[in-house]
Amino acid sequence: MHDTRRTRLVLGVLIVVALLLITIDYRDGGSPVIRGLRAVGTSVFGGAETAANSASTLVGQGQDSTSQQVRSLQQEVLRLRAELSRAQLSQAQYAQLQRLLSVAGKGGYRVVAATVIATGQGFQQTVTLDAGSRDGVRPRETVLNGQGLVGEVTAVGRDTCTVMLATDSSEQVGIQLAPGGQLGWVTGPGKTSSGSGELKLQVLDTHVTLTPGQQLVTSASVHDRPYVPGVPVGTVSRVVNRAGALTSRALVRPYVNFAALGVVGIVIEPPKHSPRFSVLPPRPHATPTPTVTVTVTPGARPSPGSTPSGTSPASPATGG
Amino acid sequence: MRKIVLSVVAVAVALVVQLTYLNGLHLPGGGVADLVLVMTAALGLAGGPVPGAVTGFVAGLGLDLAPPGSGIVGIYALVLCIVGWTCGRFRGTVARSALVPMLIAAGAGAAGEILIAGLGMALQPAQVSWASVRQVLPSAIMYDVVISPFVLYLILLTRAWLAGARAPSAALAAPGGSALQSRQGLAGGGSRQGLAAAGGAAGGAVLPGLGGWLAGPAQSRRARRDAARRTPRLGPGAGRAGDGWIGSSAAARSLAGRPLSGHALASLVARPHGTGAARLRSGVAGSAAGGQLPRTLPARPVHLRLTGGSRREGKSAGGRTRLRGGARGLGALGRGALGDGRGARRALDRLGRRGGRGSFRPVVLTGGAVRRPAGGQPVPAAPRFKIHSGGALGGSTGRGTTGLSAAGGIGQPTLRSLRHGLGQPRRLRMNGRRGDGMLGRPLTGSRLGAGRAAFSPAGPGAGIGPAGRSGPSSRGWAARSRAPRGGLAPVRPGKGRPATPRFRSRPLVAGRPQSGKRPRFSHSRWAVLTLLARRRGAVPRSWRRNGRRSAAGR
């Protein structure tokens, strides 16, 4: 059983099979062989992942929101709970679902809520959700959560679907800049050491002046696939213009924390009208800083131990 | 079967844990540990090349196809297949060292990560960029290296546990079999060298892939003690390049042609400065004289007396199982064991009568004889196996399990396990593979009539030599055809063809073994867990000679 002809034959056969699969998939990703294999893998491992995930609780982040609108949506939350077929949602998931529903309500998206049950291996920036074709999910649909754009559905099984995240370096999302509506696109950074890297933005209009803090939403794709309009993407964090470039470039910090994805929503029905920039979170304004000017009245007798009498009324002035 | 189940379960668990939990972790550095990769390396190290390759392929295909997978199908299958195979090639290190398998597993993890990243960069440049690889790969490798010893330990422990739960004979595969054996005191006493030659050389080899220091105790302390009692002194060994045989050393060569007395032969082997150091954990069972490549076959039949003393086997008095005969008795045994049958028999009887302390049941294996026709090439005779039962030691009704492994000559088949009690039907199992011959027809349970068996292959033309390589000199093996009753009967493994006994051995041309791996003496290397082993009282012994390695035992 050491190194005989038979053992080498086994190794050779396995390697040839693997190379064959690689070749088939490399040349034609949609070949029936690969699709069949993937369907088998999805049905086999998707169930296992769902089962494994139902036992564990996901670590997510959530904040208590006291928004009135959110309170009014609690009935729908209960209904969606049943859709999620979970006996109990964790506190974090509950908060995420609330935010998701508020975003979906603002934008007019009809969403199917789902949770992340598996994460891609290696350099793939993909996740698996526990909603599939039985829930009405189809390929090339937008995935968002309460913070913004998450990604795009790429493959759908019966009970699971695979989402390619917006941070994948092969993913390109068409965007609109918030005030002016200039068009551009963002590309994912791929897998980075920080887990959630910055997207690369290119704007077609070279005359636009990109400033840090500018907000981005998705622009509508053709037939709203894969991206529905109006989903918040992120804010410009750094401008990296190069002289002579055809496009204006910048780095975009995404709204979504891709390191802590929990409850997400799949947009199964696009809005009837483009929500434009209404879904965006309020842009942080510069807050006025009060300053106090003290003038000394000439001729006033200085009286030690007492407060200066000639104090002018405080005049507010905007600073910063 | 259990190993297959273990592999399947381990791979499935690793896959699900990897995809649902590990990949979702966001650890510093951006990478995560690749549990499936490390598990494949561990299973390969524990199982061998083919199980490793198959396991790796299946696990990799699972990773390629499991739902979040968006890469090109086949990359992981290819890489993990190669990793499993390569680790399987190093299976032998598991039994010998603790550190080396850990290093191999860690290296396999690192190499696998690099291979995956490289293939991804080549085939999916859009998804796998050099910037990502540069950022993520170092931390991923680091996490792999960190978890690999634990995964390896877990797999070895589980396998040892499975093997221990299977049958008492798994004591053969008990962890640190050689250590257990040395604990039994066989190699203790004044004539350690000689006895180590007889017992250590034969029994030192641990069944590869199952035990080793990493595997730790099979079960509880009590179970370990039981296993130690049942552990035969002789274990099957795997031939390695450079191993020697009894009577084949340089000194023995110089004496070739003369009939060697048992004492002379034993002293050749036992003398510390004589023929080469006999060490524990040497390769081929029965190979005692180390260091020299075999040049000749033994000039006359070598009778190996193997002691299979376990508590439940034949015993004359209810004494301890361990040999505590002291130097004199052991010395006598040592010399006798390597000498001719009669002297050893006497020695054993002497020892057995002395207060009934040692309980021996001598088993005489006669084999590897070479007849030298006048002026002709040495012709290997058909090996004969004799089971000696009698004297003061017979008459037990118990049933025990003893592994025997003896090679009195080149190309002699190895007895893998001997499952019998005295007065019971005895089964001698040849080195078991499908289609191998068995002594005593184990399937039907026929008795070994007079305790004497001769090979009777299926037909006169069926060679017992190495399959496919029947040289002119391997004629001698297919010698004696005898009635199946009491003899070596061909065993039918399946429904189809009648089985032909196959013995994996090397063809003899002009008395020399041709090609193939030559056995080699090795010794227990430095083990990381020496401290643990010391507490268990199972310190590996090594011998130093001429300033390099001498007796380092206590």
Side-chain angles (χ1 to χ4, degrees):
Chain A
M1 204 58 187
H2 271 293
D3 192 9
T4 63
R5 185 176 293 176
R6 193 172 66 85
T7 63
R8 296 217 167 184
L9 185 70
V10 171
L11 177 72
V13 166
L14 292 180
I15 286 182
V16 164
V17 170
L19 287 175
L20 208 63
L21 286 173
I22 291 175
T23 312
I24 292 173
D25 201 12
Y26 185 70
R27 290 177 63 89
D28 179 17
S31 74
V33 179
I34 301 296
R35 264 188 303 172
L37 280 176
R38 282 206 192 275
V40 170
T42 303
S43 56
V44 170
F45 291 107
E49 286 167 5
T50 311
N53 213 270
S54 62
S56 66
T57 57
L58 283 167
V59 180
Q61 65 164 17
Q63 302 164 359
D64 284 334
S65 168
T66 53
S67 155
Q68 192 65 33
Q69 185 183 13
V70 167
R71 283 183 189 281
S72 71
L73 284 168
Q74 281 191 356
Q75 284 303 110
E76 197 171 5
V77 168
L78 290 176
R79 188 178 60 78
L80 282 168
R81 266 195 199 173
E83 277 184 19
L84 282 168
S85 63
R86 296 199 185 285
Q88 191 174 344
L89 283 174
S90 69
Q91 196 69 29
Q93 284 176 317
Y94 185 76
Q96 287 177 359
L97 188 55
Q98 280 178 330
R99 292 164 64 109
L100 167 69
L101 290 176
S102 101
V103 164
K106 274 194 231 170
Y109 311 119
R110 185 171 166 79
V111 299
V112 167
T115 52
V116 174
I117 58 171
T119 314
Q121 168 81 0
F123 296 92
Q124 302 161 5
Q125 299 279 76
T126 50
V127 293
T128 304
L129 306 180
D130 60 349
S133 56
R134 278 207 311 189
D135 307 302
V137 178
R138 283 166 297 170
R140 289 167 62 78
E141 285 182 332
T142 313
V143 180
L144 50 82
N145 71 358
Q147 296 160 317
L149 181 74
V150 171
E152 166 201 3
V153 176
T154 53
V156 178
R158 191 163 151 271
D159 290 313
T160 58
C161 66
T162 302
V163 174
M164 181 161 288
L165 302 178
T167 52
D168 192 284
S169 54
S170 63
E171 189 82 347
Q172 289 187 337
V173 184
I175 55 98
Q176 273 184 306
L177 284 173
Q182 293 94 343
L183 292 174
W185 68 90
V186 291
T187 313
K191 188 146 185 161
T192 55
S193 56
S194 61
S196 182
E198 292 184 321
L199 313 172
K200 283 171 268 186
L201 166 69
Q202 297 187 55
V203 181
L204 288 169
D205 187 358
T206 49
H207 300 294
V208 71
T209 52
L210 294 171
T211 52
Q214 265 188 304
Q215 292 173 307
L216 280 64
V217 298
T218 54
S219 67
S221 307
V222 180
H223 300 304
D224 292 325
R225 286 181 170 231
Y227 294 109
V228 295
V231 182
V233 174
T235 59
V236 173
S237 63
R238 193 154 59 87
V239 181
V240 283
N241 273 332
R242 271 187 223 145
L246 290 175
T247 54
S248 309
R249 294 169 186 242
L251 292 181
V252 172
R253 177 171 303 284
Y255 285 123
V256 175
N257 181 7
F258 287 97
L261 285 177
V263 177
V264 297
I266 304 150
V267 181
I268 58 173
E269 200 172 296
K272 294 190 173 55
H273 307 286
S274 170
R276 296 282 288 169
F277 307 115
S278 61
V279 191
L280 278 174
R283 188 174 178 175
H285 295 290
T287 51
T289 310
T291 50
V292 177
T293 312
V294 177
T295 45
V296 179
T297 310
R301 283 174 302 159
S303 57
S306 69
T307 55
S309 57
T311 308
S312 71
S315 62
T318 53
Chain B
M1 186 63 202
R2 292 184 189 214
K3 292 170 193 167
I4 297 175
V5 171
L6 167 69
S7 296
V8 169
V9 169
V11 163
V13 169
L15 265 174
V16 172
V17 168
Q18 178 80 44
L19 292 174
T20 59
Y21 180 67
L22 277 180
N23 283 345
L25 292 179
H26 287 270
L27 303 170
V32 292
D34 198 334
L35 181 64
V36 182
L37 175 65
V38 175
M39 187 73 84
T40 299
L43 287 172
L45 271 172
V50 169
V54 174
T55 307
F57 182 82
V58 172
L61 205 60
L63 267 187
D64 283 325
L65 296 177
S70 67
I72 286 182
V73 173
I75 289 184
Y76 275 93
L78 177 67
V79 171
L80 295 196
C81 177
I82 293 172
V83 164
W85 163 272
T86 314
C87 285
R89 294 295 304 276
F90 292 101
R91 177 174 65 165
T93 61
V94 172
R96 290 195 218 122
S97 167
L99 185 64
V100 175
M102 285 186 200
L103 291 179
I104 290 172
E113 291 279 359
I114 292 170
L115 265 177
I116 290 164
L119 275 176
M121 281 171 66
L123 297 174
Q124 298 176 287
Q127 279 198 325
V128 185
S129 62
W130 168 240
S132 304
V133 170
R134 201 183 47 200
Q135 286 188 37
V136 174
L137 194 58
S139 60
I141 289 177
M142 193 192 71
Y143 293 128
D144 282 357
V145 169
V146 165
I147 68 166
S148 59
F150 302 101
V151 175
L152 179 64
Y153 182 82
L154 197 70
I155 291 294
L156 289 178
L157 206 64
T158 315
R159 281 178 69 103
W161 177 72
L162 284 180
R166 184 173 49 199
S169 69
L172 255 183
S178 166
L180 287 173
Q181 178 225 355
S182 65
R183 222 179 61 183
Q184 284 178 328
L186 186 69
S191 65
R192 176 178 292 150
Q193 295 271 357
L195 273 173
V206 181
L207 209 62
L210 279 175
W213 296 106
L214 275 178
Q219 287 156 336
S220 63
R221 180 181 296 246
R222 175 177 189 148
R224 209 174 343 123
R225 236 183 285 134
D226 286 345
R229 280 199 203 99
R230 278 197 295 266
T231 302
R233 270 80 171 188
L234 298 175
R240 304 200 147 269
D243 270 2
W245 277 269
I246 295 173
S248 65
S249 63
R253 266 207 314 281
S254 70
L255 294 172
R258 273 193 275 157
L260 281 177
S261 72
H263 286 259
L265 188 56
S267 65
L268 272 183
V269 178
R271 205 163 50 200
H273 297 291
T275 60
R279 291 167 183 166
L280 279 180
R281 304 198 179 190
S282 45
V284 159
S287 59
Q292 302 290 333
L293 290 182
R295 299 290 181 204
T296 60
L297 290 173
R300 51 175 298 182
V302 176
H303 298 260
L304 275 182
R305 296 214 164 215
L306 313 174
T307 60
S310 88
R311 177 182 276 180
R312 301 167 67 183
E313 290 173 355
K315 210 193 304 186
S316 58
R320 306 280 301 264
T321 308
R322 295 185 188 179
L323 263 179
R324 290 200 175 159
R328 229 179 108 205
L330 290 172
L333 175 66
R335 280 197 290 278
L338 294 171
D340 59 0
R342 234 171 292 154
R345 175 89 183 78
R346 274 200 300 272
L348 286 171
D349 282 348
R350 253 201 324 273
L351 207 60
R353 282 191 211 106
R354 197 187 299 157
R357 298 195 73 173
S359 65
F360 299 105
R361 204 202 30 250
V363 176
V364 182
L365 298 176
T366 311
V370 175
R371 280 176 292 147
R372 286 178 184 272
Q377 294 287 339
V379 178
R384 286 174 298 146
F385 291 84
K386 285 194 292 184
I387 297 180
H388 181 87
S389 62
L393 306 169
S396 162
T397 55
R399 176 182 272 275
T401 305
T402 306
L404 284 183
S405 172
I410 295 167
Q412 180 151 346
T414 304
L415 289 179
R416 191 150 197 172
S417 72
L418 172 65
R419 185 186 285 264
H420 67 284
L422 292 178
Q424 300 277 330
R426 285 157 208 150
R427 298 168 182 184
L428 275 178
R429 179 92 164 76
M430 307 307 293
N431 200 355
R433 275 178 60 177
R434 181 178 283 195
D436 279 356
M438 288 188 187
L439 276 173
R441 287 211 300 183
L443 292 190
T444 55
S446 81
R447 289 164 184 255
L448 278 176
R452 192 181 287 260
F455 285 108
S456 71
I464 313 189
R469 292 192 219 147
S470 57
S473 56
S474 62
R475 266 173 313 169
W477 292 100
R480 230 169 270 191
S481 190
R482 229 170 124 179
R485 183 185 165 280
L488 174 74
V491 176
R492 263 165 248 170
K495 293 163 198 158
R497 63 194 167 90
T500 307
R502 283 181 299 155
F503 298 104
R504 280 174 288 162
S505 63
R506 270 166 256 117
L508 297 176
V509 176
R512 294 186 184 184
Q514 300 297 311
S515 78
K517 283 188 177 174
R518 292 238 171 79
R520 176 185 66 195
F521 269 104
S522 59
H523 60 89
S524 69
R525 297 193 187 131
W526 175 72
V528 136
L529 305 179
T530 303
L531 282 179
L532 288 178
R534 195 181 296 273
R535 211 181 311 141
R536 277 192 223 137
V539 180
R541 288 144 194 257
S542 58
W543 281 262
R544 285 172 203 273
R545 206 162 70 82
N546 295 337
R548 302 196 59 172
R549 284 209 171 233
S550 66
R554 282 168 296 187

